[in-house]
Amino acid sequence: MATSGLQHVAAMYAGVVAPPLIVGAAIGLTPAELTFLTGACLFTAGLATFLQTIGIWKIGARLPFVNGVTFAGVAPMTAVVASTDDKSDALPIIFGAVIVAGLLGFLAAPFFSKMVRFFPPVVTGTVITLIGISLLPVAFGWAQGASPTADDYGSATNLGLAAATLVIVLVLRRFTRGFVKQIAVLLGLVAGTLVAVPLGVTDFGPVADADVVGFPTPFHFGAPQFQIAAIVSLCVVMVVSMTESTADMLALGEIVDRPADERTIAAGLRADTLGSAISPLFNGFMCSAFAQNIGLVAMTKIRSRYVVATGGAFLVLMGLCPMAASLIAVVPRPVLGGAGVVLFGSVAASGIQTLVRAGLDKDNNVLIVAVSLAVGIIPITAPEFYHAFPETARIVLDSGISTGCVAAVLLNFVFNHLGRSSDAQDVTHPMEAGEELTGQPSRAPSTP
């Protein structure tokens, strides 16, 4: 349980620490303050993961679902920093906006979850595939190195390390069994790091400079401030985050053979939004689901939510012990990139498996998948496609997962719900297994 939980932490660590590092650098925080902000985000990610996996009352999906700092908030948060004259007020303004957005999202969760009936396999399969495709460029970036400005970015050494890590993970998955096979990604990360040591790529500086104990003191950077523009911007991010979390819960439900119904999604969204509202109290940012960990669940077949809760415990400990947090930072980015190819590719493969039973023999469904994938891939293949749009609109448009999800839902409504086409009764209901997986015909969908 401990090693499997640590594997989840290793898969998400880079995604958790990137937003505070980017925002902190924009503000001009000192190295000590950056370390504090990063530890706070790890600590709050652990708390949010506890809410999601263990749950209290009607809060928490109780699925092996990892929560952490959402990258969707980076652009609006840096915009807040740029528009703030006194940079010392930037973080309090951001924290105030996140608190309001989290509370409003918590109240809206039960209404937002009612959209689940508009997520049949043709929609969920498309979105799951987009999640994997959208994450793969992150792995490719990691494989090239830590920074695009570095001299060795994209060097043969970095790409070789990524390839070596990928091969190690594949060999372990192919020729081992049982527990070793389940933690193949973690072993691959360790082995890749050891290979990197004689090459001079591994940096142990973060461990030497880190403190042993450190607690994220509440309101360390000042009491929250509430500004309308920042609140509206972060509320838009919250809608994007809730859309992605809904898609992630549906994806995870398919993977663990426990389809996420309306109640599960509402509880999961409450955990997301409450975790986001609490996070600024400990100097953290908005929290959301981490899709890369869904790939880990799909690959390892370890479906226990308590394993993920153990990963949440490690996150909390890392937030309380900067030196422990820095151990994961020792893993070179190319090594993370090699493992990421397997993890994120597994997500895309899960989406394709869902599409197989979506009824692609119907022209309507083929059109839904074709157009939705095209819309979702735009930010990946043409990053400047929406450059003429306002910054607030780009928060949504630059997220291929969000735009693809919206396109799939709308097209499915037009083609399979609006006016009830003649073959609408053949469309699989989102909460029922397809005939190909169960061997039994699917029941007719309930009336929306």
Side-chain angles (χ1 to χ4, degrees):
M1 182 176 288
T3 52
S4 298
L6 187 60
Q7 190 169 229
H8 276 284
V9 174
M12 71 178 293
Y13 180 84
V16 174
V17 301
L21 290 176
I22 295 171
V23 175
I27 296 173
L29 298 181
T30 65
E33 289 173 329
L34 273 176
T35 300
F36 182 91
L37 186 63
T38 303
C41 287
L42 289 168
F43 179 78
T44 54
L47 296 182
T49 299
F50 279 142
L51 276 178
Q52 198 65 266
T53 54
I54 304 300
I56 55 172
W57 186 55
K58 296 182 180 180
I59 301 171
R62 292 170 173 81
L63 290 170
F65 206 45
V66 176
N67 274 37
V69 181
T70 175
F71 209 87
V74 171
M77 287 191 293
T78 52
V80 170
V81 173
S83 63
T84 304
D85 295 329
D86 186 353
K87 300 305 180 186
S88 63
D89 290 333
L91 281 176
I93 292 172
I94 291 171
F95 292 153
V98 172
I99 291 173
V100 174
L103 293 176
L104 291 177
F106 184 85
L107 296 176
F111 305 101
F112 199 91
S113 67
K114 294 184 183 300
M115 292 177 59
V116 68
R117 66 175 180 266
F118 298 113
F119 285 82
V122 68
V123 173
T124 57
T126 301
V127 174
I128 297 166
T129 303
L130 276 174
I131 291 172
I133 294 174
S134 298
L135 288 171
L136 281 171
V138 177
F140 301 151
W142 288 347
Q144 295 178 80
S147 173
T149 60
D151 294 336
D152 64 344
Y153 189 75
S155 65
T157 300
N158 287 347
L159 296 181
L161 269 177
T165 303
L166 174 59
V167 169
I168 291 170
V169 173
L170 293 176
V171 168
L172 290 173
R173 290 289 299 176
R174 173 62 181 85
F175 296 104
T176 61
R177 61 177 62 185
F179 179 68
V180 174
K181 184 176 182 177
Q182 291 174 343
I183 62 169
V185 173
L186 179 60
L187 295 177
L189 290 173
V190 174
T193 302
L194 293 176
V195 171
V197 171
L199 299 177
V201 179
T202 305
D203 180 16
F204 291 96
V207 178
D209 298 335
D211 295 328
V212 177
V213 179
F215 183 78
T217 311
F219 303 128
H220 177 82
F221 295 97
Q225 299 180 26
F226 304 94
Q227 290 191 0
I228 297 298
I231 290 172
V232 171
S233 182
L234 268 297
C235 281
V236 173
V237 174
M238 178 57 72
V239 173
V240 173
S241 175
M242 292 172 74
T243 301
E244 294 185 2
S245 288
T246 298
D248 289 342
M249 276 184 273
L250 290 167
L252 187 58
E254 294 285 345
I255 291 170
V256 302
D257 294 329
R258 184 191 148 191
D261 56 16
E262 184 178 314
R263 180 182 300 177
T264 301
I265 292 174
L269 291 177
R270 287 192 188 98
D272 266 9
T273 53
L274 182 60
S276 295
I278 294 174
S279 184
L281 304 181
F282 299 98
N283 313 284
F285 297 142
M286 186 179 294
C287 295
S288 182
F290 266 56
Q292 51 262 55
N293 293 82
I294 296 176
L296 189 59
V297 173
M299 193 188 70
T300 63
K301 307 300 182 185
I302 299 177
R303 304 174 177 183
S304 171
R305 60 190 173 111
Y306 297 106
V307 166
V308 175
T310 302
F314 279 116
L315 289 171
V316 170
L317 290 175
M318 287 179 175
L320 298 175
C321 179
M323 183 172 287
S326 65
L327 289 174
I328 297 294
V330 169
V331 179
R333 288 294 177 84
V335 174
L336 285 174
V341 170
V342 178
L343 295 176
F344 306 156
S346 297
V347 177
S350 297
I352 295 171
Q353 288 176 332
T354 303
L355 285 174
V356 167
R357 64 185 184 92
L360 294 184
D361 55 318
K362 303 179 180 65
D363 290 340
N364 286 355
N365 287 349
V366 171
L367 284 173
I368 293 170
V369 175
V371 175
S372 300
L373 284 177
V375 170
I377 292 174
I378 286 175
I380 303 173
T381 57
E384 298 301 318
F385 189 83
Y386 300 111
H387 74 277
F389 284 75
E391 189 67 31
T392 302
R394 292 191 63 180
I395 295 172
V396 179
L397 296 174
D398 284 343
S399 171
I401 298 171
S402 298
T403 54
C405 180
V406 171
V409 170
L410 291 178
L411 290 172
N412 175 67
F413 176 77
V414 171
F415 283 100
N416 291 330
H417 289 270
L418 190 64
R420 285 295 183 177
S421 60
S422 59
D423 61 346
Q425 66 270 21
D426 296 329
V427 179
T428 307
H429 188 271
M431 294 302 108
E432 295 172 0
E435 180 178 358
E436 292 83 355
L437 293 186
T438 64
Q440 299 295 328
S442 298
R443 298 189 297 275
S446 57
T447 302

